[in-house]
Amino acid sequence: MTYTLQTPLLPTKLFITSESSGFRHLYLVVKPSASSPNYHIRAITAGNWPIVDRPIYVDTKRQLVYFTAKKDTPLETHLYVASYSEGADPLTVVRLTELGYSHTVVMDEKCERYLDWFSSVSEKPRCSVRYLVWNERNIFPSVSETMGLFVKGGKEDDEKEWDDKKLSKKVPIGEFFDFINNDGVKIYGCIYRPENYVSGKKYPTLLSIYGGPKSQMVTNDYKYPRFLRLFLATRLGFTVVLIDGRGSSDRGVTFESYLKGRMGTVELEDQIAGLNYLASKKMGVDLERVAITGWSYGGYLSLMALAQYPRIFKLAIAGAPVTQWELYDTAYTERYMGLPSENQEGYRKGSVLNWADKFPDNENRLLIAHGQIDENVHFKNSELLVSALVKQNKPHKLQPYPTERHGLRHANVAEHFETLMFFWLVNYL
């Protein structure tokens, strides 16, 4: 992210983001000039929290910069403001949006008002226009409580709308949890209880996973209809669990780079630790009946879970999985794995094909779905896996979709996959 300040007759200045401190933060760069031949770089923000990769807004008159970050909690995005004047403290940052929601903000050019699109896991998205006000005692603005367009809403309005539509059942609401893993790192997750949940009782459990770089599934924003497939699982009596383990985004370089050079071999540690935590708290997880499912990188980890931990995961449903990193986009793969010639062991251990002999010998434990015209994760990945499984005489079911690319874009195909998926979960888990 870069933003150039238009300063006629003065040295060129620009904002950049950098993770040199361990977290993504804003820096002001002053380019060399006749009077100052060296670059000058100064931190505008600092701390153990990240700037989010979204546009920034600069008020040159007041020397303020507005940005989106996850300072207060990694589960929510908020609008913040900091000063870039000489001598400003990079630790002094002011939040402008309300806690308890995730916010997406667009600000006007004068940095006097902004459009705020916000939601939470329990409240639908709504929008408001907010105005900023200043007073002489503070360089930072506050949000006006009297000016602007305020959109009323919340749980009461949601309930009224559901009643108006004569819908007797609401969208499931997730419950956030966190735990400390074996290395002393805090991990966040979200659990959706089955519709017929009774406290203290165990239920068949579906672990939904992505687990790869630049992803975050556990966030405090509205999930319908994105999580519709998972919500259907709760209607059928399953506990659904999501966990953002090490390697997921917006937690700092150390957290995010945990899988560097060893993809497919470390991500499942935090997932299993989370399942054990939930089971120890008697939160509706049955460790004897755990299925794992995911798409793309999540499909890859679903395969690795069944191969590496067949005693923990009874069933895997893998969609469009990478099975050998040499087959995937080199820009992505080499960013996280390095060159194959320099990390041969990492590529070998990270290939599902080399785990083919570890898959279980029982029937009805592995379902693979893949679009045959997938332009992202090529169908060749699943072809090679099936060949390896056949060679090892390992039971599996491959469901190809001739008309589909990386996602299931046709409604009838999505319906077919969901019917197949839930048939497997209901009958084999």
Side-chain angles (χ1 to χ4, degrees):
M1 178 196 302
T2 59
Y3 182 100
T4 303
L5 289 172
Q6 303 299 326
T7 51
L9 305 180
L10 293 175
T12 300
K13 298 179 180 180
L14 66 151
F15 288 100
I16 64 170
T17 56
S18 170
E19 293 182 315
S20 59
S21 68
F23 290 84
R24 187 188 299 114
H25 279 292
L26 276 173
Y27 294 83
L28 181 64
V29 179
V30 182
K31 296 183 68 175
S33 63
S35 59
S36 179
N38 300 315
Y39 279 93
H40 293 277
I41 303 177
R42 177 163 54 89
I44 304 303
T45 62
N48 294 335
W49 49 270
I51 300 284
V52 174
D53 190 15
R54 293 183 184 175
I56 64 172
Y57 304 90
V58 180
D59 183 344
T60 56
K61 176 182 177 182
R62 300 180 175 89
Q63 292 189 298
L64 299 175
V65 57
Y66 298 85
F67 55 90
T68 305
K70 294 184 176 179
K71 180 178 184 294
D72 290 86
T73 168
L75 306 184
E76 298 174 4
T77 52
H78 288 278
L79 177 66
Y80 297 87
V81 59
S83 172
Y84 65 90
S85 63
E86 286 289 341
D89 184 359
L91 295 175
T92 302
V93 172
V94 174
R95 176 176 47 80
L96 298 173
T97 46
E98 182 182 354
L99 288 173
Y101 303 89
S102 288
H103 300 259
T104 299
V105 169
V106 178
M107 184 168 276
D108 74 331
E109 292 182 356
K110 295 181 179 180
C111 296
E112 295 177 348
R113 59 183 175 177
Y114 62 89
L115 183 70
D116 184 10
W117 178 263
F118 59 98
S119 69
S120 72
V121 72
S122 60
E123 296 184 32
K124 295 183 303 181
R126 48 187 53 84
C127 187
S128 63
V129 178
R130 309 304 300 266
Y131 282 77
L132 301 179
V133 293
W134 288 262
N135 63 63
E136 297 178 355
R137 297 185 301 272
N138 195 340
I139 64 170
F140 296 115
S142 58
V143 179
S144 173
E145 297 296 333
T146 58
M147 294 188 297
L149 174 63
F150 303 94
V151 179
K152 294 182 179 181
K155 294 180 180 178
E156 292 182 0
D157 280 10
D158 284 349
E159 290 171 0
K160 182 178 184 299
E161 183 172 331
W162 286 110
D163 290 340
D164 290 346
K165 293 183 177 179
K166 297 181 180 180
L167 294 175
S168 60
K169 298 176 182 177
K170 299 181 183 178
V171 171
I173 297 175
E175 177 184 342
F176 295 114
F177 65 91
D178 60 75
F179 63 95
I180 304 300
N181 70 6
N182 295 332
D183 294 324
V185 179
K186 179 179 281 191
I187 304 295
Y188 291 92
C190 186
I191 183 171
Y192 290 87
R193 314 294 182 97
E195 185 180 47
N196 57 342
Y197 177 73
V198 176
S199 181
K201 188 177 176 180
K202 298 178 181 179
Y203 295 86
T205 301
L206 178 62
L207 177 65
S208 178
I209 189 171
Y210 183 78
K214 299 297 291 182
S215 70
Q216 190 181 18
M217 297 180 69
V218 183
T219 52
N220 188 25
D221 56 0
Y222 202 61
K223 305 300 184 184
Y224 181 84
R226 285 177 294 154
F227 282 14
L228 180 59
R229 193 173 293 161
L230 303 182
F231 294 162
L232 288 174
T234 67
R235 294 283 188 254
L236 294 173
F238 294 90
T239 294
V240 176
V241 177
L242 302 96
I243 298 169
D244 279 338
R246 285 169 291 182
S248 54
S249 64
D250 294 339
R251 293 289 304 276
V253 173
T254 300
F255 189 94
E256 296 171 21
S257 63
Y258 184 69
L259 49 68
K260 182 173 176 59
R262 48 183 184 167
M263 292 196 299
T265 62
V266 296
E267 299 94 327
L268 293 164
E269 298 169 3
D270 293 336
Q271 304 291 324
I272 294 170
L275 291 172
N276 288 329
Y277 169 81
L278 293 171
S280 70
K281 298 297 182 180
K282 298 182 179 180
M283 297 179 68
V285 169
D286 186 350
L287 293 180
E288 299 297 320
R289 293 184 293 170
V290 178
I292 184 169
T293 187
W295 206 268
S296 195
Y297 201 103
Y300 167 65
L301 289 183
S302 296
L303 294 174
M304 283 299 205
L306 190 61
Q308 295 175 10
Y309 302 97
R311 294 184 179 181
I312 295 176
F313 298 99
K314 186 177 179 181
L315 189 154
I317 301 174
V322 174
T323 62
Q324 185 177 25
W325 284 112
E326 291 90 336
L327 295 174
Y328 193 60
D329 170 36
T330 54
Y332 178 98
T333 300
E334 293 175 7
R335 182 186 310 143
Y336 301 109
M337 290 290 284
L339 295 173
S341 60
E342 297 173 356
N343 185 19
Q344 294 181 18
E345 187 69 1
Y347 277 84
R348 185 185 68 80
K349 290 183 177 179
S351 172
V352 182
L353 306 182
N354 293 324
W355 291 87
D357 63 321
K358 304 299 183 183
F359 280 89
D361 295 319
N362 317 65
E363 293 281 352
N364 303 321
R365 293 186 64 180
L366 175 58
L367 172 62
I368 307 162
H370 208 145
Q372 289 186 268
I373 55 173
D374 190 330
E375 77 287 9
N376 184 8
V377 179
H378 298 164
F379 190 73
K380 185 73 172 180
N381 284 268
S382 289
E383 287 181 342
L384 291 180
L385 175 59
V386 168
S387 295
L389 292 172
V390 169
K391 185 177 296 184
Q392 297 294 333
N393 199 29
K394 298 294 182 177
H396 63 278
K397 176 176 175 58
L398 173 67
Q399 177 58 62
Y401 289 109
T403 63
E404 299 308 303
R405 298 183 184 274
H406 193 52
L408 304 182
R409 304 182 183 187
H410 296 86
N412 61 327
V413 175
E415 181 181 359
H416 180 276
F417 171 71
E418 288 165 2
T419 303
L420 179 62
M421 170 182 170
F422 287 119
F423 178 87
W424 270 60
L425 290 174
V426 170
N427 288 280
Y428 304 140
L429 184 57

